[in-house]
Amino acid sequence: MDIFDHMETALSDLQSAGNYRVFAELERHCSAFPRATFHEETGDTREVTVWCSNDYLGMGQNPIVTSRMTEIIQKCGAGAGGTRNISGTNHYHVLLERELADLHGKEAALIFSSGYVSNWAALGTILSRIPGIIVYSDALNHASMIEGIRHSRCQKRLFRHNDPAHLRALMAADDPAAPKMVAFESVYSMDGDIAPIKEICDVAEDFGAITYLDEVHAVGMYGPRGGGVAEREGLMDRLTVIEGTLGKAFGVMGGYITGPAVLIDFVRSFASGFIFTTALPPALAAGATASIRHLKESRSERAAHQANVAKVRAALDRRGIPHMNNPSHIVPVMVGNASKCKWISDILLTDFGIYVQPINYPTVPVGTERLRITPTPLHDEADIRHLAESLCALWSQCALARAVA
Ligand SMILES: *Cc1c(COP(=O)(O)O)cnc(C)c1O
């Protein structure tokens, strides 16, 4: 078999299934988010409004964050200069870890290059090094958790998505003496549904399991201080580990875990994906700290965000555009066909100046292809109307089914 022929075939299979990924080349405009310049392959450019960013609150351009980053670049330079172990631990990393531990009411925190790496490294390390541990993983957990679990080669049980009764049945069937972990998310990124955190913690407690919660889509966004859904529901102390990202609502980059000091020290001491990599730039750590601190105090971003999410849903409802009804800020507009989804996204971009990336298999199951719309507090009334009207026009053109009111 020729290696390159094999690659060509695999790629053309993706193309014919409509699942080939094309990245939209954007230039984000600081202080004008959600506007960006879209660079076409031809070299032409056009101005677009971004409707699928995970910079949920626009913190990526907030002057509190950007000025702090500029200040620390001037003060400390561009990079960290080493791994955390060898000269790379900067004062601003330590301050960030304290801020994160405080945010989630935990003893300690540890930062990683990204949320992906934090899940992969923390789960991979804990699950591979605790003898006989069994992990119970929600069926819709993110790829980074799945990879961490797979890498650990520990015993694994999949419980049905958001189903504490199934979790209980699985746990009851296992050796009561085996150490156990339950790993799940609060807000699920593609359907925007929210886990029954309390019920899952109740089951975990009955079987003496530790709990690991990915709050990536909730940190900064929910709870009085932006501590996530567990904070909003008064449940942070029920979770052993709360994991999050600095790259979504906090607007910067990086990932982290928070939890008991001994567990954090254990991951710090044994996780290859933490130890053998250059530390985050100090300016980035300082910018993230400024973002977290701001969102701990200020609720106006969260309130404006929720209000805009409600406006988008109402505008779609008025025009019969089907979207998944969920209790979060994620608005999945269902198309149900990979090629149509891609086509709608292309036309929105070229004819309507709207950028929403199509979400196709394997990110979501075949037949549930969608446009994942993420309103921000910075979209205005005209943006919302234009989005809804454009989708309405395309729904007619494509003869797609409408939602019945
Ligand atoms: C985006 C995401 C991650 C990874 O976070 P990054 O900081 O982007 O690497 C982890 N978990 C979930 C559920 C995510 O959606």
Side-chain angles (χ1 to χ4, degrees):
M1 183 187 64
D2 182 275
I3 292 171
F4 298 108
D5 282 349
H6 182 83
M7 291 175 177
E8 297 267 6
T9 310
L11 289 170
S12 65
D13 286 354
L14 273 186
Q15 295 240 357
S16 47
N19 292 333
Y20 184 71
R21 292 175 200 263
V22 181
F23 299 158
E25 182 182 335
L26 300 175
E27 240 182 291
R28 292 181 11 120
H29 300 314
C30 188
S31 79
F33 183 71
R35 313 286 168 227
T37 302
F38 168 58
H39 289 255
E40 296 186 60
E41 275 177 38
T42 57
D44 291 349
T45 60
R46 67 178 66 235
E47 295 311 299
V48 298
T49 300
V50 179
W51 273 103
C52 56
S53 175
N54 282 337
D55 187 359
Y56 293 128
L57 303 175
M59 290 305 286
Q61 67 166 22
N62 191 306
I64 290 170
V65 177
T66 54
S67 63
R68 184 66 173 156
M69 291 182 74
T70 313
E71 180 195 338
I72 302 306
I73 280 210
Q74 297 303 335
K75 202 169 153 190
C76 298
T83 62
R84 287 292 296 269
N85 189 41
I86 307 177
S87 92
T89 295
N90 193 283
H91 178 54
Y92 296 102
H93 296 131
V94 178
L95 293 184
L96 172 58
E97 287 174 340
R98 278 190 205 138
E99 196 66 43
L100 288 164
D102 174 79
L103 177 66
H104 296 292
K106 300 292 174 201
E107 288 172 0
L110 195 66
I111 51 175
F112 299 81
S113 315
S114 72
Y116 187 103
V117 174
S118 68
N119 273 332
W120 177 78
L123 289 170
T125 302
I126 297 167
L127 296 172
S128 65
R129 286 176 180 269
I130 302 298
I133 195 166
I134 306 173
V135 67
Y136 301 81
S137 173
D138 186 284
L140 291 191
N141 275 345
H142 188 256
S144 56
M145 299 171 84
I146 295 169
E147 287 300 327
I149 291 167
R150 183 159 51 194
H151 178 73
S152 78
R153 299 161 159 264
C154 74
Q155 291 192 75
K156 173 182 98 170
R157 318 273 182 252
L158 273 191
F159 64 94
R160 283 193 292 269
H161 177 56
N162 283 348
D163 187 343
H166 188 223
L167 172 64
R168 180 177 292 279
L170 290 173
M171 294 188 95
D174 281 324
D175 177 2
K180 299 178 176 72
M181 175 199 278
V182 179
F184 62 117
E185 302 179 22
S186 59
V187 177
Y188 283 83
S189 67
M190 291 303 149
D191 289 354
D193 54 340
I194 295 181
I197 301 175
K198 180 185 175 297
E199 288 72 13
I200 290 175
C201 287
D202 287 345
V203 176
E205 191 174 298
D206 286 350
F207 293 90
I210 62 170
T211 50
Y212 184 107
L213 181 65
D214 175 320
E215 287 250 45
V216 158
H217 291 281
V219 291
M221 316 264 299
Y222 296 91
R225 298 199 312 158
V229 179
E231 188 201 18
R232 182 184 76 184
E233 297 176 3
L235 296 168
M236 289 199 296
D237 61 332
R238 303 281 314 271
L239 294 143
T240 316
V241 176
I242 295 179
E243 182 271 347
T245 184
L246 307 170
K248 291 173 183 171
F250 293 130
V252 194
M253 189 192 177
Y256 65 88
I257 57 169
T258 63
V262 63
L263 182 147
I264 298 298
D265 198 20
F266 183 82
V267 175
R268 185 186 75 87
S269 304
F270 293 109
S272 170
F274 171 80
I275 298 167
F276 298 105
T277 190
T278 300
L280 290 173
L284 203 155
T289 307
S291 184
I292 296 161
R293 275 191 194 150
H294 175 73
L295 291 174
K296 270 181 182 168
E297 302 287 327
S298 169
R299 299 184 186 195
S300 61
E301 289 83 1
R302 284 189 281 281
H305 180 241
Q306 294 295 336
N308 263 1
V309 171
K311 281 182 200 163
V312 168
R313 289 182 189 277
L316 296 176
D317 284 341
R318 277 197 295 280
R319 292 167 182 85
I321 305 298
H323 57 97
M324 236 180 215
N325 209 1
N326 65 45
S328 78
H329 58 281
I330 294 163
V331 185
V333 167
M334 306 310 285
V335 179
N337 172 292
S339 307
K340 270 188 188 167
C341 198
K342 171 89 174 65
W343 183 82
I344 291 174
S345 165
D346 287 345
I347 303 290
L348 282 173
L349 190 61
T350 54
D351 295 3
F352 295 91
I354 290 172
Y355 171 49
V356 199
Q357 186 69 20
I359 308 285
N360 288 346
Y361 178 82
T363 309
V364 296
V366 172
T368 72
E369 291 81 1
R370 67 196 67 182
L371 301 170
R372 177 183 180 273
I373 294 174
T374 52
T376 74
L378 297 152
H379 290 95
D380 62 23
E381 302 276 350
D383 292 330
I384 295 173
R385 198 176 332 112
H386 181 58
L387 172 74
E389 282 170 1
S390 307
L391 283 171
C392 191
L394 286 176
W395 241 247
S396 301
Q397 216 175 318
C398 246
L400 282 163
R402 304 253 173 187
V404 271

